[in-house]
Amino acid sequence: MDTTRSRPKTKPASKTERPPLYKVILLNDDFTPRDFVVSVLQAIFRMTEGEALGVMLTAHRKGACVVAVYTREIAETKAMQATEKGRRQGYPLAFTTERDA
Ligand code: NFA
């Protein structure tokens, strides 16, 4: 039997922590055209047209839909960029962020 190899006798001093995650949420409104919402979801969140349609329709029917989950800085930047795309066309389209886990 091999008795020469030893296992580490102590645990690592610290575990590698993962950063908190933030949801980006699409809010429904009565004015932004459906096609425009789909195009913003595709451009900023790199969704296929089918994925974007699903998210847009869920927000339209339920009032809001989680678009994606990222670390805080990325979630906040994407929410701003997507909201800004609507503003530039005069639409009230809004994305918010919310701490996830
Ligand atoms: N409710 C909008 C409409 O009927 C579409 C929409 C969906 C807007 C999701 C914002 C978010 N034109």
Side-chain angles (χ1 to χ4, degrees):
M1 206 221 287
D2 181 358
T3 57
T4 62
R5 278 177 296 185
S6 66
R7 291 184 298 275
K9 292 185 178 60
T10 55
K11 290 183 182 171
S14 64
K15 294 213 173 81
T16 302
E17 301 276 352
R18 278 180 295 210
L21 296 177
Y22 286 73
K23 295 178 281 201
V24 177
I25 299 162
L26 166 63
L27 304 177
N28 186 39
D29 68 71
D30 292 338
F31 303 102
T32 309
R34 293 177 180 216
D35 285 0
F36 184 78
V37 178
V38 169
S39 74
V40 170
L41 290 170
Q42 289 185 259
I44 305 293
F45 300 96
R46 309 201 172 223
M47 292 184 173
T48 65
E49 186 173 13
E51 290 167 343
L53 257 172
V55 168
M56 182 279 293
L57 283 174
T58 298
H60 178 74
R61 290 176 185 141
K62 300 180 73 171
C65 183
V66 175
V67 178
V69 173
Y70 303 103
T71 52
R72 187 170 73 133
E73 182 137 329
I74 294 172
E76 287 175 352
T77 300
K78 284 183 180 281
M80 268 188 40
Q81 290 171 335
T83 299
E84 181 58 29
K85 272 191 177 287
R87 287 300 172 280
R88 286 204 293 269
Q89 303 300 318
Y91 298 134
L93 180 65
F95 291 79
T96 62
T97 61
E98 184 180 300
R99 174 119 183 224
D100 187 42

